[in-house]
Amino acid sequence: FARKTESFTGSAKTYKAENLKEIGNQNILQSLSALDPSFIIADNNLMGSDPNTLMDVTINGTTSITGLSDTYSATANQPLFILDGFESTLQAISDLSMDRVESITILKDAASAAIYGAKAANGVIVVETKKPEAGKLRFSYNGNYQVAWADLTDYNLMNASEKLEFERLSG
């Protein structure tokens, strides 16, 4: 359902797709962290450079109670994710294309529990996608093309005769 912000007593901030695209064509969650200072993506140094590792997302900080990650399958500080009115996962939101998003609303405090229940105590991320138009085909393409190569001009490399001489001298 759609609820007007005037009837909500908590803190809420809405960002349109244009706001997200102004930051860049990166992940939706990374754009949100650049736009909203309360939306924090913590660095996960334990997983190294694994691109499949989910981000550790929090709104307004973390709890100091230890051992909650053993009880819950997800991070205990993670907000509730709502995608088009249904509860979703962090994985589904991070995989969502920025071109499909119409708006994202961040409900920042525990007052959102009045709408979404106890799971919303850490905040809520409400994502609304663009609705398809009846009778119209929707096709979108977004791509990047990049060519790169190593600059070896600073290296003094051996040619074939220098390499043979080096091997002869080294035995």
Side-chain angles (χ1 to χ4, degrees), residues 33-52:
S33 70
L35 287 170
D36 198 320
S38 67
F39 189 82
I40 301 165
I41 298 176
D43 292 330
N44 187 353
N45 294 331
L46 297 176
M47 295 306 290
S49 62
D50 184 4
N52 298 320

Side-chain angles (χ1 to χ4, degrees), residues 80-146:
L80 177 66
F81 293 96
I82 303 293
L83 178 61
D84 288 333
F86 295 98
E87 186 175 340
S88 187
T89 62
L90 175 61
Q91 181 71 48
I93 301 299
S94 64
D95 289 343
L96 188 63
S97 171
M98 195 175 291
D99 294 325
R100 291 189 55 210
V101 173
E102 184 175 324
S103 69
I104 296 179
T105 303
I106 302 176
L107 306 176
K108 299 181 181 183
D109 53 12
S112 56
I115 304 170
Y116 294 105
K119 289 184 179 180
N122 293 327
V124 181
I125 308 295
V126 180
V127 180
E128 292 293 325
T129 58
K130 294 178 182 173
K131 307 296 182 252
E133 296 179 28
K136 289 193 173 184
L137 175 67
R138 183 172 64 180
F139 178 79
S140 63
Y141 173 76
N142 185 7
N144 292 327
Y145 180 73
Q146 185 177 18

